[in-house]
Amino acid sequence: MVKRAHPTNAELTRARAEAEASMLDACLVLRRSTTGQDAATGMPIEAWVPVGDVVPCDVTIRSRRETHGTAQILVTTVSGRLPLRVDLTSLDRICVTQKLGFPLAVSETYEIVELKPGGLEWLVELKRPETLEG
């Protein structure tokens, strides 16, 4: 049985750079910030502020139809990849500002549903937030 060698640090660095180079979209990481309290309700007023600069990313939207009896329901899933160098938590949001190198007329903001560190990149499952304030 041949023992398999682990990749070297140089090989991992090169692979991460190649993974990042293949990300053709651009994103901002948004982090929750409270800006005070609502006078009427006493609830905190939250805003989503950018953390750092625009980073490369890859956001994919997939749709499929599910059948329930005679009805069909369109199910949409959104997933993405971001470089591991990005400071990211599952409480953050992702704002897509460019797709395939072209700026979007209106940026798309998503909540992170699931966050997994891969060997080369962050893997995220996304969804549209219930409210898009801030």
Side-chain angles (χ1 to χ4, degrees):
M1 181 174 200
V2 176
K3 191 173 184 180
R4 185 173 161 193
H6 291 284
T8 65
N9 284 339
E11 290 170 331
L12 282 174
T13 300
R14 186 177 67 246
R16 287 182 181 138
E18 288 174 4
E20 187 171 328
S22 72
M23 298 176 192
L24 303 179
D25 303 335
C27 295
L28 278 170
V29 175
L30 304 177
R31 193 151 290 153
R32 183 178 176 269
S33 171
T34 55
T35 59
Q37 253 183 340
D38 184 299
T41 64
M43 296 298 292
I45 298 171
E46 62 181 25
W48 294 90
V49 295
V51 178
D53 296 325
V54 173
V55 294
C57 64
D58 179 36
V59 175
T60 304
I61 301 171
R62 291 179 303 283
S63 298
R64 70 179 188 283
R65 295 189 186 280
E66 289 188 0
T67 305
H68 294 279
T70 58
Q72 289 188 8
I73 299 170
L74 185 63
V75 177
T76 302
T77 57
V78 182
S79 60
R81 303 181 302 137
L82 285 95
L84 276 178
R85 65 180 170 82
V86 175
D87 177 27
L88 198 57
T89 74
S90 60
L91 301 175
D92 296 334
R93 290 185 176 177
I94 303 296
C95 178
V96 182
T97 59
Q98 291 182 22
K99 289 292 285 171
L100 298 173
F102 294 98
L104 296 175
V106 177
S107 59
E108 301 170 358
T109 302
Y110 298 95
E111 289 180 358
I112 297 175
V113 176
E114 186 176 0
L115 174 65
K116 297 182 279 189
L120 304 176
E121 60 215 355
W122 288 108
L123 304 171
V124 293
E125 294 298 322
L126 306 167
K127 75 170 191 166
R128 291 254 186 215
E130 299 300 321
T131 59
L132 288 176
E133 299 177 275

